[in-house]
C-alpha cells in the first residue's frame, strides 16, 4: 500500500494572533520563529516514529483555574527528557472539553515553544481536534497548525449517532482529512463518544486516505489492533513498514500491542512515569522480552491507578511525588486528604521504579 511516511502537503492557513487573556511575554506571537513556516517543513522535520506518546495534562492555577503556562512548559520538557517519541495536547487527559478555543491554542503553543527552547525541536506534537461537526473539527485542525501542532487526533462525532447513516463516520473522517492542513490520527475511544466503536474494517479503509497517518485504539482491543497493523503494514520499532502508526491507547497493553505488530502507545500514565513506559518498548526492541514482560506487569498495575483515578488521581500523584499537578477544572472534584493518600499509594510502586532509572 502507499507509504504514509510523507503526508500530503497543504498550503498553511494564515495565522491569527492569540488573544491576550493569558498574556505571557515569552509565549507571544512575536517569538514564533521556532514554528515551522510551512506544513511541508513540519512534516519533514517531525515525522511520527514508533514509541511512547504522552497525552499531556493541562495545568491550572489553584485559585483562579487560569492556565498555568510555566507548569505546562516544564512538564512538556520533563517528558521529552524521558525519551518519549512525542506529545499530545488536548487529549482526554488534557481536559480539552474544559477549554476555550483560545486556551487550546495557547496550550499547544506553549508546549511547542517549550520543546523548541529545550532542544527538542524535532519532537512532534499531536493535537486533539475532535468535535461534533465536520466544520468545527476542520477549524480545530487549522488552529492546531497555527499553534505549532504537527498532527490532529480526531474522535468520531457521537451526539447524533442515532441519526447517522451507515457511511456517515467514514465520510466524516474522509472529509476532515481532505480539508485538514495537518495529517489525521484516528482516535477510537468508545467510552468518550457514547459507545461509538470503529471496527477494523472501517479504520483499514480510512487508512488508505493519504492524509490519515495513524490510529489510537483506547478501546483496548488488541485483536483489532493486530488486524489493522497487518492490513496497513504498520510501522514498528524494528520495521518502518508503510509508516502508518497503529497505537494502543493505554500503557497496560503496550507489550501486547507490539507483539501483534503495533507501533507503540499514546498513554496517560506517561505523565507520571514516562521512563517506565518508554523502557517497555526499548526492552522489547532489544529482544529482551522477559525483562519487558516483567516491567509490563508493573506498568499495568500503575496504569490501573491512572485509569481508575482518572485526571484527578493522576494530578494528585504528580503533586505528591513531583511537587506539581494541582487540580482539574470544575466540576471535576478536588481529592480529599484521604483520597490523595490513596492515589499516592496506588502509584507508589511504579514511581519508585521510575526514580530508580534516574
Amino acid at each position: 500500500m502507499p507509504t504514509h511516511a510523507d503526508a500530503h502537503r497543504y498550503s498553511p492557513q494564515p495565522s491569527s494572533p492569540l488573544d491576550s487573556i493569558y498574556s505571557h511575554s515569552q509565549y507571544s506571537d512575536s517569538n514564533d520563529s521556532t514554528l515551522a513556516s510551512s506544513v511541508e517543513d513540519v512534516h519533514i522535520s517531525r515525522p511520527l516514529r514508533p514509541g511512547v506518546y504522552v497525552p499531556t495534562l493541562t495545568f491550572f492555577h489553584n485559585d483562579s483555574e487560569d492556565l498555568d503556562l510555566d507548569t505546562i512548559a516544564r512538564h512538556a520538557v520533563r517528558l521529552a527528557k524521558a525519551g518519549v517519541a512525542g506529545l499530545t495536547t488536548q487529549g482526554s487527559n488534557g481536559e480539552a472539553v474544559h477549554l476555550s478555543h483560545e486556551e487550546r491554542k495557547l496550550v499547544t503553543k506553549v508546549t511547542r515553544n517549550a520543546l523548541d527552547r529545550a532542544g527538542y525541536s524535532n519532537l512532534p506534537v499531536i493535537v486533539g481536534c475532535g468535535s461534533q461537526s465536520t466544520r468545527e473539527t476542520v477549524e480545530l485542525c487549522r488552529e492546531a497548525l497555527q499553534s505549532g501542532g504537527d498532527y490532529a487526533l480526531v474522535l468520531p462525532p457521537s451526539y447524533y449517532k442515532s441519526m447517522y447513516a451507515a457511511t456517515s463516520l467514514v465520510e466524516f473522517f474522509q472529509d476532515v482529512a481532505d480539508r485538514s492542513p495537518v495529517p489525521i490520527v484516528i482516535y477510537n475511544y468508545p467510552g468518550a463518544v457514547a459507545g461509538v466503536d470503529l471496527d477494523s474494517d472501517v479504520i483499514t479503509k480510512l487508512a488508505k486516505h493519504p492524509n490519515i497517518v495513524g490510529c489510537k485504539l483506547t478501546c483496548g482491543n488488541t485483536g483489532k489492533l493486530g488486524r489493522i497493523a497487518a492490513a496497513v503494514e504498520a510501522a514498528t520499532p524494528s520495521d518502518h513498514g508503510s509508516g502508518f502508526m497503529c497505537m494502543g491507547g493505554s500503557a497496560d497493553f503496550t507489550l501486547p500491542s507490539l507483539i501483534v505488530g503495533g507501533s507503540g502507545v499514546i498513554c496517560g500514565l506517561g505523565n507520571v512515569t514516562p521512563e517506565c513506559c518508554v523502557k517497555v518498548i526499548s526492552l522489547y526492541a532489544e529482544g529482551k522480552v522477559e525483562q519487558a514482560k516483567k516491567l509490563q506487569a508493573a506498568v499495568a498495575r500503575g496504569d490501573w491507578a491512572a485509569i481508575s483515578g482518572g485526571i484527578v488521581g493522576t494530578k494528585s500523584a504528580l503533586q505528591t511525588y513531583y511537587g506539581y499537578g494541582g487540580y482539574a477544572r470544575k466540576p471535576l472534584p478536588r481529592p480529599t486528604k484521604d483520597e490523595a493518600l490513596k492515589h499516592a499509594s496506588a502509584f507508589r510502586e511504579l514511581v519508585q521504579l521510575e526514580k530508580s532509572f534516574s
Side-chain angles (χ1 to χ4, degrees):
M1 66 178 293
T3 180
H4 285 79
D6 293 316
H8 268 196
R9 292 163 184 167
Y10 296 78
S11 299
Q13 301 298 315
S15 60
S16 59
L18 290 167
D19 291 340
S20 58
I21 52 172
Y22 294 104
S23 61
H24 199 289
S25 61
Q26 66 172 311
Y27 302 120
S28 67
D29 285 333
S30 62
N31 291 312
D32 280 351
S33 60
T34 55
L35 298 183
S37 59
S38 70
V39 180
E40 178 174 340
D41 292 337
V42 172
H43 294 170
I44 290 174
S45 63
R46 300 187 189 113
L48 297 177
R49 57 185 177 85
V52 171
Y53 292 76
V54 180
T56 59
L57 295 161
T58 298
F59 301 99
F60 308 102
H61 292 290
N62 290 342
D63 52 351
S64 64
E65 291 195 348
D66 289 348
L67 294 176
D68 183 346
L69 302 181
D70 289 333
T71 300
I72 290 168
R74 286 190 292 107
H75 184 64
V77 173
R78 173 183 167 243
L79 300 181
K81 288 180 177 178
V84 303
L87 301 182
T88 301
T89 60
Q90 318 312 323
S92 302
N93 279 270
E95 297 183 62
V97 295
H98 289 167
L99 306 179
S100 69
H101 275 237
E102 291 303 313
E103 289 175 318
R104 290 171 73 139
K105 289 190 289 184
L106 189 53
V107 168
T108 298
K109 191 184 192 75
V110 167
T111 299
R112 176 74 268 157
N113 286 353
L115 293 174
D116 292 347
R117 287 189 173 88
Y120 297 98
S121 58
N122 289 330
L123 206 69
V125 174
I126 305 170
V127 182
C129 294
S131 184
Q132 293 304 309
S133 71
T134 302
R135 182 186 181 94
E136 186 179 26
T137 302
V138 172
E139 180 182 357
L140 288 167
C141 292
R142 291 171 177 164
E143 291 175 356
L145 173 64
Q146 294 166 8
S147 306
D150 304 305
Y151 302 86
L153 182 66
V154 178
L155 283 162
S158 60
Y159 192 85
Y160 295 113
K161 72 172 187 174
S162 64
M163 302 176 66
Y164 294 152
T167 59
S168 292
L169 293 179
V170 170
E171 291 171 355
F172 167 79
F173 279 102
Q174 290 174 335
D175 288 345
V176 170
D178 284 343
R179 296 164 58 190
S180 172
V182 292
I184 304 300
V185 176
I186 297 167
Y187 188 5
N188 190 57
Y189 184 11
V193 290
V196 173
D197 190 1
L198 304 174
D199 63 33
S200 54
D201 290 340
V202 166
I203 295 176
T204 299
K205 179 178 181 178
L206 289 171
K208 297 176 182 178
H209 193 292
N211 204 35
I212 296 178
V213 298
C215 61
K216 174 188 178 183
L217 303 185
T218 307
C219 54
N221 189 328
T222 309
K224 180 192 296 186
L225 191 152
R227 288 191 294 274
I228 297 168
V232 304
E233 300 179 16
T236 70
S238 61
D239 185 355
H240 186 266
S242 69
F244 190 90
M245 297 288 290
C246 193
M247 296 178 281
S250 60
D252 59 358
F253 70 115
T254 302
L255 191 56
S257 295
L258 296 173
I259 289 171
V260 300
S263 310
V265 291
I266 302 178
C267 61
L269 180 63
N271 282 288
V272 182
T273 56
E275 290 191 56
C276 286
C277 297
V278 169
K279 198 166 182 64
V280 172
I281 293 183
S282 63
L283 287 171
Y284 177 78
E286 293 165 6
K288 301 175 181 177
V289 179
E290 289 304 314
Q291 293 180 49
K293 285 170 61 178
K294 184 177 180 180
L295 181 56
Q296 174 66 85
V299 165
R301 290 191 292 272
D303 202 28
W304 180 240
I307 293 168
S308 60
I311 297 168
V312 172
T314 301
K315 285 190 169 185
S316 180
L318 273 177
Q319 189 66 51
T320 298
Y321 290 111
Y322 297 98
Y324 72 96
Y327 305 115
R329 269 188 176 167
K330 293 178 179 180
L332 286 176
R334 296 187 174 191
T336 64
K337 183 177 180 180
D338 287 344
E339 288 169 340
L341 289 172
K342 183 179 178 180
H343 293 311
S345 176
F347 280 96
R348 182 173 294 115
E349 175 195 13
L350 203 60
V351 170
Q352 289 175 343
L353 190 57
E354 177 88 1
K355 292 184 176 181
S356 74
F357 295 146
S358 302

